[in-house]
Amino acid sequence: MAIGKRYKQKRKTLHRQCDRVLEALGEASSSIEVNMANGTQSQTKCRNCGAPECGGDCWGFHGLGRKDKISEKNVQSIKGKWCGKTILSVLQSEFADLSDAEYLSSLMSHSLIHLNGIPVKCDAIGLDGDSQAISASSILKNMDTISRIVHWYEPPVIVPSSISVQKIKIPDDIISENSLCDNYGNSNEALIYCCDKPASVPVHPAGPYLANSLTMMVEGQVGLEPRSLRPCHRLDRCTSGLTICTTSQAIAKLIQGRLDGKTVQKLYLARVKGKFPSSENECQNFMVSKECASASWSWMGDKCCIEVNAPIKNIDPIKGYRAICNDGKHSTSRFSLVSYEETSDMSIVACYPVTGRGHQLRVHLQWLGHAIHGDVLYGGPNYLLSMKEDAIKALVDASKTGEESQGLPNKLISENAAVSAKNLCRISRDGVDGIQASFSSAQLLGGGHVIDLHAWKYRVSFERKGRKTKKCKIDAGTMNSREKDQADVDDALVLMDFATNVPLWAKSCECENVSWL
């Protein structure tokens, strides 16, 4: 291993990776020993109830059927924008449930918040000569990790009896071109899982969500190992539709590289209020805001769609609210009318995000005066009956059940820390008031948890290595040079199309005639 300050960060990273590998090997060997002693073979267990025969069917009402865990260690790697800020400022500004200074101070006094495994103490409390503690005013650096010990309760989600999952094999030419077999040795593992994510469900464990996330539900449903399914991209929790996942790190890296390289086309469907324009003349009725001078729209006659160029900025990180601002990031979207229903005054709109900013389609449609149906965050009408009372009642019942049971012990957490986490848990301690303080209205199914925006189709382009598009000069003597150039382009690319069924609210319209914008 290299020595010197230059390689200090690399050594730290290698040590952490080695520790994780050793821990995983230790867990695997202990599991094998137990199975051999019992004369049984290892089986994939449900992430919810722990039963091997369950298959992930135990989530129950709104996903609240899972057992209560006595404690859980929630680990968050430092984001780039946090570097140079104090631990205290990041915790209060980035995590909604930690914005209360008194509550945060209580967590720190009981050593429930750690930086790189070392307890974080509030300056008001004082370190009291404890060398094994870090001040909350310490500056965060790259590669730091913040962890928090919590008594875990998850917000409810709305899920069908089974989630639609398609298994698609990567073509052999893409496998060989990108040397995927060299990464994991077995081309049969070159599968992509196309999941139709239900609205209200997050893509992966994040924030207060763990078992109530798409990847963990699909793992339980199709019998994959825990934490083995990798999402290649993300959708908003309130959005439904196509989510591309894989169990292979090499394939995930390949697909994510396509996304970063802008070689992926995306087609969404949205239901909006009012008659969306279908011609340039109808576009004159737009009542767009003039506050952002750099925001504009234009009619694309060849595609019969509207193109919006309006920069987007995240102005409220805690609520996740974005808006069109002059100092925002460049964002481009295209929209085309699919159908209009006069009785409900609703339009189905095909949406094509040229760039990939957060909430981009939602913000641009709001700016055009056609907010998405159900999107209360951006001015859309809330058409769903609130399920907040049912969700709160289910959480209260879950907390009472947790008090009666022993819970599932976590060997990484001491008994004292587990007891402190339970005593400070707002849900266990304060009941309904604690639930409303811990979760947002959307997380409690009170509105905005489901919007009529559906990721419908993705088209991923893979370039064949060694084959370049030929540039041909066009003159009187080369009549077919355009056709030849297009043939070279087609021959140099391999296209993979992924799609889900259209959502229920778009079943009545002729979506099969919708083309890429």
Side-chain angles (χ1 to χ4, degrees):
M1 187 179 295
I3 298 174
K5 289 185 178 180
R6 180 181 176 184
Y7 303 98
K8 181 179 179 181
Q9 193 59 60
K10 290 185 177 180
R11 290 197 299 272
K12 289 174 65 177
T13 303
L14 285 172
H15 279 306
R16 288 176 185 169
Q17 292 173 342
C18 289
D19 290 341
R20 290 171 185 167
V21 171
L22 290 174
E23 181 182 341
L25 289 174
E27 292 178 356
S29 61
S30 61
S31 176
I32 293 172
E33 291 172 1
V34 170
N35 289 327
M36 291 179 64
N38 296 333
T40 60
Q41 293 183 346
S42 178
Q43 291 179 292
T44 301
K45 295 182 179 180
C46 174
R47 248 66 65 224
N48 179 22
C49 65
E53 69 277 1
C54 174
D57 297 327
C58 61
W59 267 274
F61 172 72
H62 300 318
L64 287 166
R66 69 186 291 270
K67 287 185 180 178
D68 176 50
K69 280 196 173 184
I70 189 67
S71 52
E72 185 73 30
K73 203 163 189 176
N74 187 7
V75 180
Q76 172 69 57
S77 297
I78 297 301
K79 298 180 181 179
K81 64 179 182 179
W82 296 352
C83 293
K85 297 182 179 180
T86 65
I87 302 172
L88 185 62
S89 64
V90 168
L91 292 175
Q92 290 184 321
S93 62
E94 298 288 339
F95 301 91
D97 60 330
L98 299 181
S99 58
D100 184 346
E102 184 178 351
Y103 180 63
L104 180 58
S105 177
S106 298
L107 295 177
M108 291 182 179
S109 65
H110 289 84
S111 301
L112 297 181
I113 296 179
H114 297 77
L115 180 70
N116 301 326
I118 302 175
V120 176
K121 298 288 186 179
C122 183
D123 293 340
I125 299 169
L127 300 180
D128 297 328
D130 187 0
S131 60
Q132 296 300 316
I134 296 176
S135 170
S137 59
S138 299
I139 302 298
L140 291 171
K141 304 183 296 299
N142 188 29
M143 299 299 291
D144 283 342
T145 56
I146 296 177
S147 57
R148 175 185 169 193
I149 300 172
V150 296
H151 186 66
W152 200 290
Y153 290 98
E154 293 189 53
V157 294
I158 304 173
V159 292
S161 56
S162 69
I163 297 172
S164 175
V165 180
Q166 305 173 53
K167 297 180 183 179
I168 300 177
K169 191 178 184 301
I170 296 283
D172 291 338
D173 50 354
I174 296 179
I175 292 174
S176 58
E177 285 277 351
N178 295 276
S179 303
L180 295 180
C181 289
D182 296 341
N183 288 285
Y184 48 82
N186 183 2
S187 61
N188 291 327
E189 296 179 6
L191 290 175
I192 287 179
Y193 294 81
C194 293
C195 309
D196 191 352
K197 186 186 85 67
S200 81
V201 178
V203 172
H204 55 76
Y209 296 92
L210 183 64
N212 291 352
S213 59
L214 177 71
T215 54
M216 296 196 75
M217 289 181 179
V218 172
E219 286 167 359
Q221 178 177 303
V222 303
L224 296 174
E225 289 294 326
R227 301 299 182 99
S228 62
L229 194 63
R230 301 168 179 266
C232 300
H233 61 102
R234 291 181 291 180
L235 292 179
D236 294 338
R237 189 178 70 248
C238 55
T239 303
S240 63
L242 177 63
T243 309
I244 300 175
C245 303
T246 180
T247 56
S248 166
Q249 183 177 1
I251 294 178
K253 186 176 181 180
L254 178 66
I255 299 295
Q256 289 164 357
R258 301 291 93 190
L259 290 165
D260 294 339
K262 312 301 182 186
T263 57
V264 176
Q265 294 175 284
K266 304 175 186 178
L267 188 58
Y268 288 67
L269 294 175
R271 183 164 64 161
V272 302
K273 186 69 176 176
K275 173 71 165 63
F276 197 82
S278 58
S279 66
E280 187 172 7
N281 289 334
E282 293 179 1
C283 293
Q284 306 306 321
N285 297 325
F286 279 146
M287 300 293 292
V288 297
S289 171
K290 302 295 185 180
E291 293 182 4
C292 180
S294 56
S296 64
W297 63 267
S298 60
W299 175 258
M300 301 179 68
D302 56 333
K303 296 181 179 292
C304 290
C305 70
I306 297 165
E307 182 173 276
V308 176
N309 287 282
I312 295 177
K313 181 180 180 181
N314 187 354
I315 61 176
D316 190 341
I318 291 181
K319 293 182 179 179
Y321 183 78
R322 276 100 168 159
I324 293 175
C325 301
N326 284 314
D327 57 343
K329 294 182 179 180
H330 168 70
S331 307
T332 302
S333 306
R334 294 171 185 166
F335 304 99
S336 176
L337 177 67
V338 177
S339 68
Y340 172 68
E341 187 180 53
E342 189 172 357
T343 55
S344 62
D345 192 27
M346 293 284 179
S347 299
I348 304 296
V349 179
C351 312
Y352 181 88
V354 180
T355 55
R357 309 302 179 198
H359 298 191
Q360 176 176 310
L361 298 176
R362 301 165 65 183
V363 174
H364 283 175
L365 283 170
Q366 178 203 32
W367 183 71
L368 291 175
H370 293 275
I372 296 174
H373 203 219
D375 194 0
V376 296
L377 184 63
Y378 293 105
N382 184 17
Y383 67 100
L384 290 174
L385 293 175
S386 174
M387 305 175 73
K388 192 171 184 178
E389 291 184 5
D390 294 335
I392 291 175
K393 182 180 181 301
L395 277 166
V396 170
D397 293 342
S399 66
K400 292 178 180 178
T401 303
E403 291 174 359
E404 298 170 358
S405 65
Q406 295 295 323
L408 301 177
N410 190 325
K411 64 181 182 180
L412 299 177
I413 298 171
S414 68
E415 184 177 350
N416 289 338
V419 171
S420 297
K422 185 172 183 178
N423 292 336
L424 289 173
C425 174
R426 286 175 165 173
I427 296 174
S428 299
R429 185 185 64 188
D430 303 329
V432 174
D433 292 338
I435 292 171
Q436 293 179 329
S438 300
F439 304 124
S440 67
S441 179
Q443 289 172 338
L444 293 174
L445 312 181
H449 54 285
V450 173
I451 67 174
D452 290 348
L453 179 63
H454 183 84
W456 183 29
K457 294 182 178 181
Y458 277 28
R459 171 171 288 174
V460 185
S461 303
F462 298 92
E463 183 175 315
R464 296 178 187 269
K465 295 181 180 179
R467 297 194 183 186
K468 302 295 184 182
T469 302
K470 296 181 180 179
K471 301 293 184 181
C472 299
K473 293 182 179 180
I474 301 176
D475 54 35
T478 56
M479 297 296 293
N480 297 322
S481 59
R482 290 186 183 272
E483 290 81 357
K484 182 179 179 182
D485 187 55
Q486 183 61 46
D488 290 333
V489 172
D490 295 339
D491 187 50
L493 295 177
V494 177
L495 301 178
M496 288 192 70
D497 287 341
F498 308 98
T500 67
N501 294 325
V502 297
L504 290 175
W505 44 264
K507 288 284 188 183
S508 60
C509 61
E510 298 179 356
C511 293
E512 62 272 10
N513 297 326
V514 177
S515 59
W516 298 96
L517 301 180

